[in-house]
Amino acid sequence: MNVLNSTRLFSILFHTLFYCCIFSSTINFSSVSVANEVAENDTLQVCKGKYALCTTAQCEPIDGTDAVACSCDVKKGYSVGSKACESEGDAKSGALVSRYYPVKSFVACQNDREWAYCLDAPCTIDKKTGKAMCTCSTKKGSDLYVITTDKYTPETCTSGIISSATVNSIMEVTEFLKTSKELPPKDFKILNKIDK
């Protein structure tokens, strides 16, 4: 098991990307995806309020659409996203959005598995369960993506549709949060070996 802190992983990914462009490394990063994520991060904002946290959410397909329904936790406090936290009107109606809170550990996966992208997704609170039901888009491709967990098994990267994000986006939001006094980033652990 290879445990790396976030600073070490950032160095590995930067050099991997560099050598990928020159020597056709086996890890396939999308320069278009990276550019889009950087552009999106220009609008990131930290705020305090109620939000949906979908980092470990399990999701199910919504019939007749390309979207998935994810069961997320309802949290209060500081979080980051490109949309503002709930308004007073949202709080009364039970509507809120999915936002990001720094994770402690994850597994990095790379395959053609479909996963859910829930950042800024619209959600409503289920009054019976207290959970946030969020409608998320789906993604798949060759970029490394994360599964937030505290334990790695061989099935972690292959079982079900789960809320996720690319490793690149996690690194970018971590860099962004270094400028935040309210929500500073945390060191996180990578629970599996990443081929270089």
Side-chain angles (χ1 to χ4, degrees):
M1 180 177 293
N2 185 16
V3 179
L4 302 171
N5 62 32
S6 59
T7 302
R8 175 61 175 155
L9 177 62
F10 183 80
S11 175
I12 290 174
L13 290 176
F14 175 83
H15 288 94
T16 301
L17 180 59
F18 177 77
Y19 288 114
C20 170
C21 296
I22 299 176
F23 299 114
S24 298
S25 171
T26 57
I27 294 181
N28 184 13
F29 291 87
S30 170
S31 58
V32 173
S33 174
V34 173
N36 288 341
E37 287 167 358
V38 170
E40 291 172 359
N41 281 352
D42 289 341
T43 64
L44 288 177
Q45 54 183 305
V46 172
C47 61
K48 187 177 183 180
K50 186 182 292 184
Y51 64 98
L53 183 64
C54 298
T55 50
T56 60
Q58 298 285 338
C59 309
E60 297 292 337
I62 300 175
D63 291 342
T65 74
D66 294 328
V68 291
C70 302
S71 179
C72 305
D73 296 322
V74 176
K75 299 287 185 179
K76 290 183 179 180
Y78 287 104
S79 62
V80 62
S82 64
K83 295 183 179 179
C85 290
E86 64 166 359
S87 66
E88 184 176 343
D90 291 335
K92 292 180 179 179
S93 69
L96 68 168
V97 296
S98 171
R99 294 171 61 82
Y100 176 77
Y101 186 87
V103 299
K104 296 179 180 179
S105 59
F106 63 78
V107 171
C109 305
Q110 188 178 36
N111 53 31
D112 61 356
R113 173 191 187 182
E114 187 176 55
W115 49 271
Y117 182 77
C118 291
L119 184 65
D120 297 320
C123 310
T124 56
I125 298 176
D126 185 326
K127 294 182 179 180
K128 292 183 179 180
T129 64
K131 302 281 281 187
M133 299 307 298
C134 302
T135 302
C136 305
S137 61
T138 57
K139 292 181 178 288
K140 64 187 301 184
S142 57
D143 287 344
L144 284 165
Y145 64 93
V146 305
I147 300 296
T148 302
T149 181
D150 58 6
K151 182 179 180 181
Y152 172 69
T153 69
E155 292 76 31
T156 301
C157 291
T158 59
S159 299
I161 301 175
I162 194 165
S163 174
S164 185
T166 65
V167 172
N168 283 328
S169 63
I170 295 294
M171 301 312 301
E172 289 168 0
V173 74
T174 298
E175 287 299 305
F176 171 81
L177 290 178
K178 289 180 180 179
T179 66
S180 171
K181 294 180 180 180
E182 296 85 2
L183 191 64
K186 301 176 181 180
D187 282 345
F188 49 75
K189 297 179 180 179
I190 313 304
L191 303 180
N192 62 322
K193 182 178 179 180
I194 300 175
D195 294 331
K196 294 183 289 182

